[in-house]
Amino acid sequence: MRDLAGPLKLIVTLWLAGASAIHLYFGGFGFPEPITLRAFHLLVFVPPLFLLYPARPGRSPAHRPSLPDWLWVLAAAAPHAWVMWHWDRVADRMEYVDPFGPEMMVLAVLAILTLLEATRRAVEVGLAWMIIISVAYMGFGHYIPGLLNSRPFTLAEILEASWLVPTAGGVYGPLTGIVATTIAVFIVFGAFMQGSGTGRLFSNLGAAAAGRFSGGPAKVAVVTSGLFGTMSGSSVSNVITTGAMTIPLMMRIGYRPVVAAGIESAASVGGALMPPVMGAAAFVLAEITGIPYGEIIIAAAIGAVLYYFAILAAVHFEAKKAGMAPMPLRDIPAWREVAQDAHLVIPIAVLVWLMMDRWSGNFAAFCATLAMVGIAALRRRSRMGWRQVLESLTNAGLTMAPLAVSIAGAGIVVSALTATGLVVALGGIIKDLAAGNFALLLVLLAVTVLILGMGIPTTPSYIIAAAIGVPQILDLGSKALGLSPAELLLPAHLFIFYFAVLADASPPVAAAAFAAAAIARASPLMASMHATRLGIAGFTVGFAFLYDPGIMLRGSLADILVATAIQLGALTAICAAYAGFLLAPMGMAVRLLLGAAGLFAAFYHGVPDLVRLAVAVLVPAAIALAQGLRAPRPVRP
């Protein structure tokens, strides 16, 4: 991103801050017409990207935009300004029935091209290519024989489907509406959390809680990244924020750079899984399913805790095996210092309470943001002056702008999938490969989501994969599990959501792992491999949403306790087996036995749950008992 200077920097800062403030106002006092809001959202967030991100880093001007950048700004603004000005005409037209004239076609081309270029610059080249392929498929899909054949589309139909079908998809579709309403206000809330010093609270709390134990810096990284995740829900920003502190500390006490980077990236990826703010994809999930966001965070709570439990267990076993020391006492804050920022938890509690009380997410985030400013003013160290408020609003805008173009691009892909029927064809291919085997269907869908996540961000990956995979899960799962489609709806979406999030840390292309590797100056590929094995809980929990609904707090208390205990025992066994240490070092045969027991308990559902529970608990307990009996006794004087 460019480091702008002078008047232009001030203009862009005020522009982004003003756009964020308007979205916050909408969240509290109501939104305009949907098409007007969506056009305004893209009008204020797409053009600045051409000023902030150079066309070719290293060759384009680093501190000022070039003349072509200004032309891109004008081209990006034109279609969205036109839609805002003619909102009534757009709202009243019948999609695919009313004429899509030359004026609209030119504007549609401008909208698509500028979104492609903004996506290439500010998001992912892979997503830009996916948009190009989707639009091209609409034009040439009728030449493809077999299952992937589609009907012919005219140029006007292709442009209309990509740009101006607000009820179904495209640039102004429901996905853009979700970002412009709920997600935007939550991003503002997260920015105010950081601006008020909540990040300092989480960092100090993580160090005070975990720093005194063996491998302290690694455990601090895990705890702190989980807490930071409640603010941002972004894996890369979590890595950059916490990794700058924790990765050097981990390396200093003996962790190899690739392992330190893997620990940080695995912990940071989990931020998008951690309630109450679970990342943009979770809000899309709520809108797509119609399930209140409060219910989603309740269902996801145990899974998020299990994810971080597994990372802490892996870190603990490896630290004990290597004999690593805790953090130096001078680097561990006193609990008194932690308590000085404890009042900043109140706005988070306000947010959770309002969502549990079934207020809309945007209104809950609006109230929590105002509460954050008011509560932060109670202490001088957290008080937000006008500079801090302006900086928070600007940071929110900097976060929203790339998200706006990525979601609008995903809208084009979804529109192409639905208009051509490709979503049905791809789902049918996966279903045919599964051959009626529900477990194999889930494995194929998990692989599909991980592959999608190689080239595109979490939220578009989730949206596209959910469109393809959820109908197949509902169809086959209702027969395999004996549940109704309504009962399977949330578990199916959470399954897709988890693997979309895990793709950020999975090789070969893993954004969070690459960011952590850059800090550690380590191999990105090796860092992502360590992140994947440390994040094993994401894979087990993803499947457990469908097979063990107790971890979603569904069923009786016994169901919940058994499902949670199975996962805890299984994850402990898997992490200890990989590290080669439980209470003492283990030989290869014992490690294989322990690992097999963990994988059996986590993934095999052909036996009663009590059998899986017995394996998950008794095998590690027996090995621990044997190690305890063999341990040398202290000699009494």
Side-chain angles (χ1 to χ4, degrees):
M1 191 167 70
R2 284 191 175 108
D3 183 16
L4 300 177
L8 181 59
K9 179 178 182 179
L10 177 62
I11 292 171
V12 173
T13 297
L14 293 176
W15 179 274
L16 291 174
S20 300
I22 292 171
H23 279 77
L24 179 64
Y25 172 85
F26 287 156
F29 295 97
F31 298 100
E33 286 289 326
I35 189 63
T36 304
L37 174 64
R38 297 168 190 180
F40 170 78
H41 178 73
L42 295 174
L43 175 63
V44 295
F45 287 128
V46 177
L49 290 173
F50 296 103
L51 305 178
L52 292 168
Y53 292 87
R56 291 177 292 179
R59 300 179 64 181
S60 300
H63 303 289
R64 60 172 179 80
S66 62
L67 177 60
D69 290 330
W70 284 108
L71 296 177
W72 278 110
V73 168
L74 295 176
H80 310 306
W82 183 90
V83 171
M84 282 194 67
W85 185 258
H86 297 283
W87 69 270
D88 51 345
R89 176 179 166 188
V90 174
D92 291 341
R93 71 183 303 274
M94 296 181 66
E95 298 162 0
Y96 301 118
V97 175
D98 287 350
F100 196 79
E103 178 187 25
M104 290 183 173
M105 292 177 69
V106 170
L107 291 169
V109 170
L110 285 177
I112 295 168
L113 289 178
T114 52
L115 277 175
L116 282 171
E117 176 63 8
T119 301
R120 183 192 71 81
R121 292 190 187 197
V123 188
E124 292 279 356
V125 175
L127 178 57
W129 276 110
M130 181 165 285
I131 297 169
I132 292 172
I133 292 169
S134 299
V135 175
Y137 179 70
M138 293 184 71
F140 302 101
H142 60 285
Y143 293 115
I144 302 175
L147 190 61
L148 297 180
N149 181 264
S150 70
R151 73 171 180 86
F153 288 84
T154 65
L155 179 61
E157 288 176 328
I158 294 171
L159 294 175
E160 183 175 5
S162 302
W163 183 50
L164 209 60
V165 189
T167 60
V171 173
Y172 302 118
L175 298 178
T176 297
I178 296 167
V179 179
T181 52
T182 304
I183 296 175
V185 189
F186 269 90
I187 289 174
V188 174
F189 172 65
F192 272 82
M193 285 180 70
Q194 296 190 44
S196 66
T198 308
R200 179 180 61 240
L201 166 65
F202 290 163
S203 179
N204 288 340
L205 178 60
R212 292 176 171 82
F213 300 98
S214 178
K219 293 175 181 175
V220 169
V222 176
V223 175
T224 304
S225 294
L227 293 171
F228 264 92
T230 64
M231 294 191 300
S232 69
S234 168
S235 57
V236 176
S237 65
N238 286 354
V239 167
I240 294 170
T241 303
T242 62
M245 174 190 71
T246 58
I247 289 175
L249 282 175
M250 284 188 273
M251 292 165 60
R252 194 181 307 161
I253 67 165
Y255 281 100
R256 289 181 295 141
V258 289
V259 177
I263 292 170
E264 178 59 47
S265 54
S268 294
V269 160
L273 309 175
M274 179 62 70
V277 183
M278 295 169 56
F283 296 102
V284 176
L285 190 160
E287 294 293 331
I288 290 176
T289 61
I291 298 171
Y293 186 73
E295 292 185 19
I296 292 172
I297 64 175
I298 290 174
I302 292 180
V305 172
L306 288 170
Y307 181 85
Y308 281 100
F309 166 81
I311 301 177
L312 283 171
V315 165
H316 173 77
F317 292 134
E318 295 192 12
K320 296 294 286 186
K321 181 180 180 180
M324 293 181 184
M327 286 179 67
L329 288 177
R330 65 178 181 274
D331 294 334
I332 301 176
W335 284 106
R336 184 184 299 111
E337 183 178 352
V338 178
Q340 290 179 356
D341 290 319
H343 59 292
L344 297 175
V345 175
I346 296 175
I348 302 174
V350 169
L351 176 72
V352 174
W353 174 72
L354 287 172
M355 289 193 297
M356 293 299 100
D357 206 35
R358 293 184 178 262
W359 290 88
S360 65
N362 51 271
F363 184 74
F366 169 79
C367 294
T369 303
L370 297 186
M372 180 62 72
V373 176
I375 295 297
L378 296 177
R379 288 183 179 270
R380 179 177 297 177
R381 62 188 271 139
S382 60
R383 192 169 298 143
M384 300 181 70
W386 68 268
R387 291 181 186 274
Q388 287 77 22
V389 170
L390 179 64
E391 183 179 359
S392 297
L393 289 170
T394 304
N395 288 337
L398 290 170
T399 302
M400 271 189 266
L403 181 63
V405 295
S406 66
I407 296 299
I412 296 176
V413 175
V414 170
S415 186
L417 288 174
T418 53
T420 60
L422 184 59
V423 63
V424 178
L426 290 176
I429 291 172
I430 293 174
K431 186 176 180 180
D432 289 343
L433 289 173
N437 187 313
F438 184 60
L440 180 57
L441 173 71
L442 296 181
V443 171
L444 292 172
L445 287 174
V447 172
T448 301
V449 181
L450 291 174
I451 292 173
L452 277 174
M454 289 182 190
I456 61 178
T458 299
T459 305
S461 173
Y462 159 73
I463 292 167
I464 297 165
I468 297 170
V470 167
Q472 311 308 321
I473 295 176
L474 299 184
D475 179 28
L476 199 55
S478 59
K479 303 169 187 174
L481 303 177
L483 300 174
S484 69
E487 292 174 307
L488 279 172
L489 183 62
L490 181 54
H493 277 274
L494 284 175
F495 174 84
I496 300 291
F497 170 73
Y498 256 61
F499 282 95
V501 170
L502 292 172
D504 259 358
S506 301
V509 181
F514 285 14
I519 297 173
R521 297 183 180 179
S523 163
L525 181 60
M526 292 303 298
S528 64
M529 292 178 69
H530 282 286
T532 300
R533 60 101 175 170
L534 289 164
I536 182 66
F539 296 89
T540 67
V541 170
F543 282 87
F545 282 132
L546 289 156
Y547 284 107
D548 297 317
I551 68 163
M552 298 173 60
L553 295 175
R554 289 183 173 181
S556 65
L557 178 60
D559 293 334
I560 296 169
L561 293 176
V562 168
T564 305
I566 289 172
Q567 292 296 319
L568 288 172
L571 291 170
T572 300
I574 293 169
C575 294
Y578 189 91
F581 188 97
L582 190 57
L583 297 181
M586 294 182 292
M588 183 55 67
V590 178
R591 291 174 67 179
L592 290 174
L593 172 64
L594 188 59
L599 292 172
F600 174 88
F603 290 110
Y604 187 66
H605 299 276
V607 296
D609 287 348
L610 291 180
V611 174
R612 295 169 57 218
L613 177 62
V615 172
V617 173
L618 295 180
V619 174
I623 294 173
L625 179 61
Q627 289 184 335
L629 292 175
R630 286 202 307 266
R633 303 290 180 182
V635 179
R636 293 184 179 179

